[in-house]
Amino acid sequence: AVPGATTSTATGITTDGSVVCGNSGNQPFIWTEGDGIKGLGLPGDSTSCSAAGVGVSNDSIVVAVNSNAAIYRAKRWDGNAAGPGAFSSLPRAGTLEWTASGLGTDGTSEVWISGSTINGGDGNGRQACRYRQSTGTTDLPTLPANGHDNSDFHAVSDNGYLGGQYQYLGTAPTGGARNAMKFAGISP
């Protein structure tokens, strides 16, 4: 656990297993074998936040973070295990706030962060979204045919494929059945 906290929970691990992210107290942390646990602190506009996923890109550690900020809740932390890092806000999905659920990276040029909007979908339900570093945008991908946008992305792979669920047929936000989906994150 980070200083001042009594427990910690892991929420993500890099592909090679070298970095683990998680939550302890009201803040995210990273852990490496060489440096142990390191609390990431809090973004300036937040009183608590949590880690949703971790990756290594261009020798930097990247952590997907959810904060309790009034606006721009989805964030990322970039840094390394031994030194400082910095939080930055991720763009909204159109005009919608969203929360992160996972992170994938190809290790060099691309970072994907999966998530869901807080509301704004059919019947004011959630809407699956994804952030792409290469475009600097968070978008709302088109869902499979006959699905409506009460949906979530729960995870993203290191080649940009996203996994989640969407509601099929029925009336949003509660009608229809939940269906698993895979989405190719490399498409526009």
Side-chain angles (χ1 to χ4, degrees):
V2 298
T6 58
T7 62
S8 60
T9 303
T11 58
I13 189 167
T14 58
T15 302
D16 66 1
S18 65
V19 184
V20 173
C21 74
N23 303 306
S24 184
N26 66 343
Q27 68 173 299
F29 69 82
I30 54 173
W31 176 92
T32 62
E33 188 172 352
D35 292 295
I37 195 167
K38 173 185 176 177
L40 303 185
L42 297 171
D45 59 355
S46 305
T47 58
S48 70
C49 62
S50 59
V54 64
V56 176
S57 182
N58 291 318
D59 297 324
S60 289
I61 298 170
V62 183
V63 181
V65 174
N66 293 310
S67 75
N68 69 344
I71 58 172
Y72 297 104
R73 294 180 186 183
K75 301 186 183 301
R76 65 184 275 175
W77 180 91
D78 293 85
N80 61 57
F87 289 99
S88 56
S89 295
L90 296 175
R92 289 179 172 168
T95 61
L96 302 173
E97 290 293 335
W98 64 286
T99 58
S101 59
L103 183 144
T105 178
D106 66 5
T108 57
S109 61
E110 188 65 275
V111 172
W112 298 275
I113 298 177
S114 60
S116 304
T117 63
I118 306 296
N119 55 32
D122 290 336
N124 209 30
R126 295 175 313 277
Q127 212 168 343
C129 62
R130 53 103 190 257
Y131 165 80
R132 292 179 67 192
Q133 176 176 284
S134 62
T135 63
T137 61
T138 303
D139 62 3
L140 303 165
T142 302
L143 296 175
N146 297 316
H148 56 76
D149 60 6
N150 191 33
S151 57
D152 306 281
F153 284 139
H154 296 295
V156 59
S157 68
D158 285 338
N159 61 358
Y161 285 95
L162 295 112
Q165 64 184 11
Y166 71 102
Q167 224 154 321
Y168 182 74
L169 301 175
T171 303
T174 58
R178 293 280 184 181
N179 288 277
M181 69 173 162
K182 177 180 93 171
F183 186 85
I186 54 175
S187 65

